[in-house]
């Protein structure tokens, strides 16, 4: 009983429900290990009693974070304070002169107080505490002193009610950037290709957005982990995505012969991928780009460029310095900081400070690479906006980071060591999942006013028309798995979802960006409703949209939710052509991944697909009839367009009939995850230029093209 109470006080679940009628108890050993990762000793009954007394004796005057939503009543944390309490708000530092602190006394009745609907709106005095000047949107310090002289301090988040919304109806492409090679690529798709895709799709097809995979910095190594969802840092992008020739200093490099040799080697890499069946080799690409970028970095910056670089350094501050230092140290000591000399494992140690001085040139190089990458990210968004895209580039936020990477080194106190994020057992995976990603500690986030989360969001949103959040349910709770234990022995740990959402809404508002949450799979009751209330769009994938509360049949288009990104597939699912043909089932069979006989799996697949095709036929969306794969792909997207979904996403490989998944969950070396170029139905890689000229693509996009779009014949780019 004491352990359960202690766990509840720290947001650690002692049971969970994989389905409404099933409750599973969490092993005590798991609860004790998770509490230990949160700094709570529960190893013995006496430890539990001592920790319980300490937890229950802490001041309850204020929670760690208080959220005030624009236009909504103030929370009970403020309105339930003892009458006569003095409340003081110290606004966060901002541009311009510092805002003064404001104080007021709590009267007898305070339940009707509200923050105005917008920071600049004139408040109704009747809705505000007497003498209170509403704080601007931001994260502030809140102090309370009661008449009995009890005091408390908390973080105050003043946020708009909702994130900015995308246009009523828009469509766009979903693409893994590395897979999109053009004639000028250095062996993998880059930010120049992204800008070109956005400019073409916006002008020619009337597309409103391009959604890409996470472009976070990877952990270096040979081989580098190719997954974009297990990065070294989510805060900074990876310079491997740079288009080298677009760096302004490229044209002023003195050693042209070496640059030309590197460019020829890069062309050979692309040739091998596009025409010889080679996989995308990120390490080989980076080796060539690294050499070229080191030559470019020797070119002095012009005064204007130098000023812009200095501004970037000032804006990014300590976070960038830590990231660049980690990159420099990794070049010397290897990519796992746990194996570095012990003094260097502490980012604030005297030895680390000395190393920073000794490696100053390399630190500056990595800072400059981060700046160049951020600059090209901005250029890609600008290209999208100039092409008329209402949203532009949709960036992707991975759910976590690599345990050996830059973020875990620089922010060690923020992560729960010895823990990994995953998923509990469910109908699709009886063994559960362990993703190998250390979770953030909710208590550490709250103690720092969510500084790490705020900085992360601000960096990602700086050049984004919208942000996709992978496993958005992680704002509410995450499945923690103790090191050395199977995923079945994990448990849920709760986060302050109100605070996390408020910070997300605040930063999205500042950037003017929409937010899409990936809310597929098992979702805790109330989560989708809470996200929708704050304007966060969901994700709806056609094959999963069935009437689960009724007959289980495919959901009619008019019954789909409006506030979502509707798609036919994702990076973790089969392409539409593969699903229609059953290729994905036979692929999993060849790799030994099926848990049932092949015939049983194929029968289930054929039955489910036939239901969807029958619905498409009844709705007269498949005039060509069954048996025509290309027509069926068009019908699927015709159906998506018939739903009320605000955003319709087209998997770019679907436009040319690619049958290969970019990632096959449950595999590592059995399948080339994250290393395949976009290909045609026969598996022959196709370039961006060939995709743009594809009759199949233009036939598919006619289904989605808005009437206002300016068109051009296949193969011809608009001026």
């Amino acid at each position: 009983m004491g352990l359960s109470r202690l766990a509840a006080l720290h947001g650690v679940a002692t049971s969970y429900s994989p389905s409404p009628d099933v409750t599973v108890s969490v092993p005590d050993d798991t609860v004790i290990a998770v509490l230990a990762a949160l700094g709570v000793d529960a190893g013995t009954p006496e430890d539990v009693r001592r920790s319980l007394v300490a937890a229950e004796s802490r001041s309850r005057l204020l929670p760690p974070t208080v959220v005030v939503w624009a236009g909504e009543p103030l929370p009970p944390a403020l309105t339930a304070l003892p009458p006569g309490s003095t409340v003081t708000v110290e606004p966060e530092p901002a541009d311009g002169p510092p805002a003064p602190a404001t104080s007021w006394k709590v009267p007898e009745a305070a339940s009707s107080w509200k923050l105005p609907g917008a920071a600049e709106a004139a408040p109704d005095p009747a809705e505000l505490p007497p003498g209170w000047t509403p704080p601007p949107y931001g994260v502030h310090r809140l102090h309370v002193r009661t008449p009995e002289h009890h005091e408390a301090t908390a973080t105050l988040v003043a946020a708009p009610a909702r994130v900015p919304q995308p246009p009523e109806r828009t469509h766009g492409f979903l693409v893994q950037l590395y897979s999109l090679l053009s004639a000028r690529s250095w062996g993998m798709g880059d930010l120049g290709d992204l800008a070109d895709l956005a400019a073409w799709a916006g002008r020619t097809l009337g597309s409103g957005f391009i959604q890409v995979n996470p472009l976070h910095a990877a952990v270096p190594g040979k081989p580098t982990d190719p997954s974009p969802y297990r990065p070294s840092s989510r805060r900074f992008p990876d310079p491997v995505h740079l288009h080298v020739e677009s760096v302004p200093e490229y044209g002023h490099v003195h050693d042209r012969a070496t640059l030309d040799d590197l460019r020829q080697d890069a062309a050979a890499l692309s040739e091998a991928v596009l025409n010889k069946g080679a996989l995308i080799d990120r390490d080989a690409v980076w080796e060539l780009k690294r050499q070229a970028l080191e030559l470019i970095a020797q070119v002095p910056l012009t005064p204007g460029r130098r000023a812009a670089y200095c501004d970037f350094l000032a804006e990014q501050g300590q976070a960038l310095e830590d990231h660049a230092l980690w990159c420099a140290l990794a070049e010397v000591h290897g990519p796992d900081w746990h194996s570095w000399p012990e003094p260097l494992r502490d980012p604030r140690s005297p030895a680390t400070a000395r190393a920073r001085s000794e490696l100053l040139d390399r630190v500056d190089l990595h800072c400059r690479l981060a700046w160049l990458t951020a600059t090209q990210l901005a250029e890609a968004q600008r290209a999208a906006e100039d092409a008329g895209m209402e949203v532009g580039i949709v960036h992707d936020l991975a759910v976590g980071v690599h345990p050996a990477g830059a973020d875990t080194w620089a922010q060690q106190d923020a992560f729960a060591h010895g823990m990994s994020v995953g998923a509990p057992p469910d109908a699709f995976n009886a063994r559960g999942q362990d993703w190998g990603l250390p979770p953030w500690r909710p208590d550490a986030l709250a103690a720092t006013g969510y500084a790490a989360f705020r900085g992360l969001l601000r960096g990602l949103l700086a050049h984004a028309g919208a942000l996709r959040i992978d496993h958005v349910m992680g704002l509410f709770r995450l499945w923690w798995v103790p090191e050395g234990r199977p995923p079945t022995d994990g448990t849920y740990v709760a986060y302050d979802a109100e605070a996390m959402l408020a910070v997300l809404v605040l930063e999205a508002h500042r950037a003017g960006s929409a937010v899409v949450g990936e809310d597929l799979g098992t979702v805790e009751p109330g989560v989708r409703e809470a996200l929708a209330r704050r304007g966060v769009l969901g994700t709806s994938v056609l094959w999963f949209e069935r009437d689960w509360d009724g007959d289980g049949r495919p959901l009619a288009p008019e019954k789909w939710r409006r506030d979502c990104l509707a798609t036919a597939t994702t990076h973790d699912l089969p392409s539409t052509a593969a699903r229609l043909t059953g290729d994905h089932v036979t692929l999993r069979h060849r790799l030994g991944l099926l848990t049932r006989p092949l015939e049983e799996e194929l029968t289930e697949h054929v039955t489910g697909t036939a239901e969807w095709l029958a619905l498409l036929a009844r709705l007269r969306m498949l005039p060509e009839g069954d048996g025509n794969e290309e027509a069926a792909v068009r019908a699927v997207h015709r159906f998506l367009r018939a739903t009320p979904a605000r955003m319709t996403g087209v998997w770019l490989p679907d436009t040319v009939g690619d049958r290969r998944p970019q990632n096959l969950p449950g595999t590592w070396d059995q399948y080339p995850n994250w290393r395949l170029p976009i290909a045609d139905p026969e598996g022959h890689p196709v370039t961006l230029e060939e995709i743009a000229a594809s009759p199949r693509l233009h036939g598919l996009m006619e289904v989605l093209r808005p009437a206002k779009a300016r068109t051009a014949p296949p193969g011809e780019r608009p001026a």
Side-chain angles (χ1 to χ4, degrees), residues 78-287:
L78 292 180
T79 59
L81 290 170
S85 297
T86 300
V87 181
T88 303
V89 175
E90 295 179 359
E92 68 172 346
D95 295 335
T102 60
S103 299
W104 73 91
K105 295 282 188 181
V106 177
E108 291 290 341
S111 61
S112 63
W113 296 347
K114 294 180 182 179
L115 185 70
E120 66 277 4
D124 179 352
E127 294 183 339
L128 298 174
W132 182 40
T133 300
Y137 292 153
V139 179
H140 316 297
R141 295 305 295 164
L142 176 68
H143 305 275
V144 169
R145 180 182 176 88
T146 70
E148 292 78 25
H149 305 295
H150 296 141
E151 297 188 27
T153 301
T155 297
L156 174 68
V157 184
R162 290 166 62 83
V163 301
Q165 297 297 287
E168 280 301 312
R169 300 280 284 167
T170 187
H171 74 270
F173 290 119
L174 320 178
V175 62
Q176 300 283 291
L177 181 57
Y178 58 83
S179 71
L180 181 69
L181 281 75
S182 70
R184 64 181 187 176
S185 300
W186 284 43
M188 62 182 279
D190 58 40
L191 291 171
D193 298 321
L194 177 60
D196 199 37
L197 174 66
W200 167 74
R203 288 186 166 88
T204 304
L205 305 174
S207 299
F209 65 91
I210 304 289
Q211 178 184 302
V212 295
N213 56 285
L215 303 182
H216 309 320
V219 176
K222 294 191 176 179
T224 298
D225 186 342
S227 172
Y229 291 92
R230 203 164 182 247
S232 169
S233 173
R234 296 186 295 174
R235 177 66 182 81
F236 295 99
D238 198 309
V240 76
H241 300 113
L242 280 168
H243 180 240
V244 175
E245 293 93 327
S246 293
V247 177
E249 289 73 37
Y250 176 87
H252 300 280
V253 172
H254 294 299
D255 189 353
R256 305 305 302 178
T258 300
L259 269 187
D260 290 343
D261 289 344
L262 292 171
R263 186 66 188 89
Q264 289 179 7
D265 291 344
L269 282 180
S270 291
E271 168 71 13
V273 171
L274 294 171
N275 297 314
K276 298 180 180 178
L279 299 175
I280 292 170
D281 188 341
R282 182 191 181 109
D283 295 327
V285 172
W286 174 238
E287 179 59 26

Side-chain angles (χ1 to χ4, degrees), residues 462-480:
H463 311 300
L467 179 66
R468 174 192 180 269
I469 300 181
D470 191 43
H471 194 69
V472 72
M473 297 83 76
L475 298 178
F476 295 77
R477 65 178 185 178
L478 282 172
W479 184 257
W480 287 23

Side-chain angles (χ1 to χ4, degrees), residues 658-683:
D658 197 344
R659 283 178 161 76
R660 307 173 305 174
Q662 282 294 315
N663 178 49
L664 191 59
T667 63
W668 176 245
D669 56 0
Q670 308 99 311
Y671 186 81
N673 295 320
W674 318 112
R675 289 172 288 171
L676 292 171
I678 297 174
D680 64 16
E682 287 72 44

Side-chain angles (χ1 to χ4, degrees), residues 533-549:
R533 184 181 182 190
R534 299 304 166 199
V536 177
L537 274 62
T539 301
S540 294
V541 177
L542 180 132
W543 312 102
F544 304 152
E545 290 296 312
R546 291 175 173 268
D547 184 8
W548 299 114
D549 295 328

Side-chain angles (χ1 to χ4, degrees), residues 283-620:
D283 295 327
V285 172
W286 174 238
E287 179 59 26
L288 296 178
K289 289 192 176 183
R290 180 189 61 78
Q291 294 179 57
L293 291 165
E294 287 178 348
L295 288 174
I296 291 171
Q298 296 174 16
V299 177
L301 296 173
T302 66
R305 295 269 292 163
R306 169 63 61 180
Y309 178 44
C310 290
D311 283 349
F312 180 79
L313 294 175
E315 290 167 1
Q316 304 304 319
Q318 186 69 54
L320 176 58
E321 186 174 334
D322 287 343
H323 174 71
L325 177 57
W326 182 91
C327 292
L329 288 169
E331 292 174 338
V332 177
H333 301 288
D336 185 350
W337 61 268
H338 299 91
S339 66
W340 293 355
E342 187 169 352
L344 298 180
R345 299 175 200 170
D346 179 0
R348 304 291 172 251
S349 73
T352 302
R354 287 193 297 272
R356 179 182 289 107
S357 298
E358 295 164 359
L359 298 171
L360 193 58
D361 287 346
R362 299 304 296 179
V363 171
D364 182 67
L365 173 67
H366 290 291
C367 286
R368 187 182 295 201
L369 294 180
W371 170 58
L372 293 174
T373 312
T375 300
Q376 290 195 5
L377 286 170
E379 291 167 353
Q381 176 63 9
R382 190 156 50 246
E385 293 171 346
D386 290 347
M389 285 191 167
E390 302 99 326
V391 176
I393 309 302
V394 182
H395 286 284
D396 198 349
L397 172 60
V399 70
V401 295
H402 196 287
D407 282 2
T408 58
W409 176 74
Q411 305 169 17
Q412 293 177 37
D413 292 343
F415 289 92
H417 301 286
M419 294 289 143
S420 177
V421 173
D426 56 27
F428 302 99
N429 193 328
R431 292 172 292 186
Q433 300 175 57
D434 183 343
W435 302 333
L437 308 170
W440 264 337
R441 287 180 52 163
D443 58 330
L445 287 176
T448 58
Y450 295 86
F453 188 43
R454 294 160 60 199
L456 169 60
L457 291 173
R458 195 167 297 184
L460 285 169
L461 289 165
H463 311 300
L467 179 66
R468 174 192 180 269
I469 300 181
D470 191 43
H471 194 69
V472 72
M473 297 83 76
L475 298 178
F476 295 77
R477 65 178 185 178
L478 282 172
W479 184 257
W480 287 23
V481 181
E483 184 177 338
R485 292 191 172 95
T488 50
D489 286 355
T491 189
Y492 280 114
V493 175
Y495 290 77
D496 186 343
E498 187 85 347
M500 298 283 276
L501 275 175
V503 170
L504 172 63
V505 173
L506 173 65
E507 294 299 336
H509 167 79
R510 285 171 164 169
S513 301
V515 178
V516 178
E518 185 271 296
D519 57 352
L520 303 174
T522 303
V523 183
E524 186 181 10
V527 167
R528 286 195 175 104
E529 293 77 8
L531 292 169
R533 184 181 182 190
R534 299 304 166 199
V536 177
L537 274 62
T539 301
S540 294
V541 177
L542 180 132
W543 312 102
F544 304 152
E545 290 296 312
R546 291 175 173 268
D547 184 8
W548 299 114
D549 295 328
D551 58 15
R553 293 187 178 277
L555 199 63
E558 66 273 10
K559 294 184 178 180
W560 283 43
R561 54 181 169 172
R562 169 177 170 269
D563 293 328
C564 75
L565 167 63
T567 72
T569 189
T570 73
H571 59 268
D572 282 333
L573 296 172
S575 69
T576 305
R579 188 176 288 275
L580 288 167
T581 58
D583 282 6
H584 66 299
V585 179
T586 55
L587 172 62
R588 294 181 67 83
H589 172 67
R590 288 199 307 272
L591 297 176
L593 299 175
L594 297 184
T595 58
R596 297 181 296 174
L598 175 61
E599 295 75 15
E600 188 176 334
E601 293 274 359
L602 283 173
T603 298
E604 181 178 289
H605 158 72
V606 169
T607 301
T609 303
E611 285 184 317
W612 277 104
L613 291 174
L615 175 58
L616 295 174
R618 286 199 305 274
L619 296 174
R620 299 183 179 180

